[in-house]
Amino acid sequence: MAIFSSSTQQVPETAAVPRHVAIIMDGNGRWAKKRLLPRVAGHVKGVELVREAVRACLERGIGFLTLFAFSSENWRRPQEEVTLLMQLFVRALEQEVEKLGRNGVRLRVIGELSRFGSQLQELIRRAEEQTAGNSRLVLTIAANYGGRWDIMQAINRLAQSAPEKLGAWSEADLEPFLAMNFAPEPDLFIRTGGEERISNFLLWQLAYTEFYFTPTLWPDFDTGEFDKAIASYQKRERRFGRTSEQLTEIIPDA
Ligand code: IPE
Ligand code: IPE
Ligand code: MG
């Protein structure tokens, strides 16, 4: 059973502060290049901005923050950069988890983790376990994640669990098997770095999410920039298929 309602099955409740923000943190390499630094310097700086984004969510009462850290296609990068990204991930887990725990943050990692080294897999497992009792903010890191991978792994697991219903599966049957089954669908999607594409991020879950694209590179995406995205979100009219008139209709007293 899904804990949260699906935007295509029923109109979800919305609030001024988004409940779930999902971010493609893009532009680290270009940030470094502009400063004549190696690309990895951009990734190092990027980790600092992750801390800032987490703090901003805690202060603003946002319950879910989901960050795209490494896509299923990022293995195509030069081996050296992939290795450095993995090292940064390991270091961040070693250094940050305790502090996350103290701040009431629950850490989750989604993606095909079996492709990572055993040390990293073990660190992920421990970090999730250590923070499992927290609920103030759920911080989800998408690592070796791809939206198509997610949908396929869910279909394959559903096929194993309910073969008798083959040919008659519903959205509601699939949803419990998706990687983000523990969270409401994102209200706000942010992509930094100027590209306006999804790059195989949360394909299923973004069905009715509001999109915000900014040319600001991720290492420059500070709290002020974060608040601009929230302000933009607050101006949107989320209709979920209905007309604008339906949203402003005054329901007469019975
Ligand atoms: C995003 O920054 C971080 C990862 C994909 C890990 P990029 O490394 O894609 O930076 P640009 O897009 O080359 O500037
Ligand atoms: C998307 O950024 C993935 C992450 C930020 C982790 P990319 O930089 O890999 O995306 P493309 O290749 O420009 O679409
Ligand atoms: Mg990029």
Side-chain angles (χ1 to χ4, degrees):
M1 276 288 282
I3 322 163
F4 296 105
S5 68
S6 148
S7 60
T8 48
Q9 302 303 301
Q10 59 197 118
V11 177
E13 273 180 43
T14 56
V17 175
R19 201 154 53 137
H20 182 179
V21 177
I23 308 182
I24 296 188
M25 310 178 288
D26 196 17
N28 293 350
R30 280 163 284 164
W31 182 91
K33 196 172 173 189
K34 275 204 318 200
R35 288 164 178 76
L36 306 177
L37 294 168
R39 289 179 59 84
V40 66
H43 299 315
V44 171
K45 180 73 182 170
V47 176
E48 274 179 40
L49 274 290
V50 169
R51 275 188 219 110
E52 187 158 338
V54 169
R55 207 175 310 127
C57 288
L58 286 168
E59 284 165 2
R60 284 153 189 72
I62 292 164
F64 295 86
L65 174 65
T66 302
L67 302 173
F68 206 6
F70 193 86
S71 78
S72 44
E73 289 70 53
N74 284 145
W75 298 104
R76 297 168 180 165
R77 293 192 176 196
Q79 179 59 48
E80 189 191 67
E81 180 168 346
V82 171
T83 305
L84 284 165
L85 282 166
M86 294 302 148
Q87 286 169 355
L88 267 183
F89 195 12
V90 166
R91 201 202 297 168
L93 285 169
E94 285 172 345
Q95 295 180 352
E96 308 290 333
V97 172
E98 203 191 306
K99 192 166 149 220
L100 289 174
R102 269 188 273 121
N103 285 292
V105 179
R106 177 170 190 170
L107 185 79
R108 298 242 193 195
V109 180
I110 56 165
E112 196 176 5
L113 304 185
S114 59
R115 188 143 173 209
F116 292 133
S118 52
Q119 182 204 12
L120 185 49
Q121 287 189 48
E122 177 58 17
L123 276 171
I124 291 169
R125 200 193 56 74
R126 284 221 305 266
E128 289 187 321
E129 196 180 272
Q130 269 177 45
T131 60
N134 294 337
S135 56
R136 190 170 161 209
L137 170 67
V138 178
L139 170 64
T140 304
I141 305 294
N144 192 22
Y145 179 87
R148 290 187 178 178
W149 164 81
D150 191 3
I151 293 168
M152 285 315 304
Q153 65 80 27
I155 290 172
N156 284 322
R157 290 200 292 142
L158 173 59
Q160 278 169 357
S161 98
E164 69 291 346
K165 234 186 131 184
L166 177 77
W169 292 325
S170 66
E171 291 181 20
D173 291 328
L174 190 69
E175 271 163 356
F177 294 98
L178 291 166
M180 293 230 63
N181 61 3
F182 54 85
E185 292 171 27
D187 298 295
L188 173 62
F189 161 94
I190 298 171
R191 183 172 185 146
T192 63
E195 312 297 349
E196 302 192 349
R197 55 179 172 248
I198 296 187
S199 299
N200 199 17
F201 195 25
L202 302 161
L203 300 178
W204 178 283
Q205 297 83 350
L206 295 176
Y208 269 104
T209 302
E210 297 297 329
F211 280 46
Y212 178 84
F213 295 101
T214 172
T216 302
L217 304 172
W218 175 252
D220 293 324
F221 193 80
D222 58 14
T223 304
E225 292 291 324
F226 191 84
D227 282 336
K228 278 192 219 166
I230 305 285
S232 166
Y233 170 79
Q234 288 170 340
K235 290 197 208 96
R236 315 283 177 92
E237 183 179 69
R238 303 189 73 190
R239 292 192 287 275
F240 299 100
R242 296 162 300 170
T243 67
S244 191
E245 289 72 22
Q246 282 175 295
L247 298 183
T248 50
E249 234 166 46
I250 296 156
I251 299 150
D253 286 352

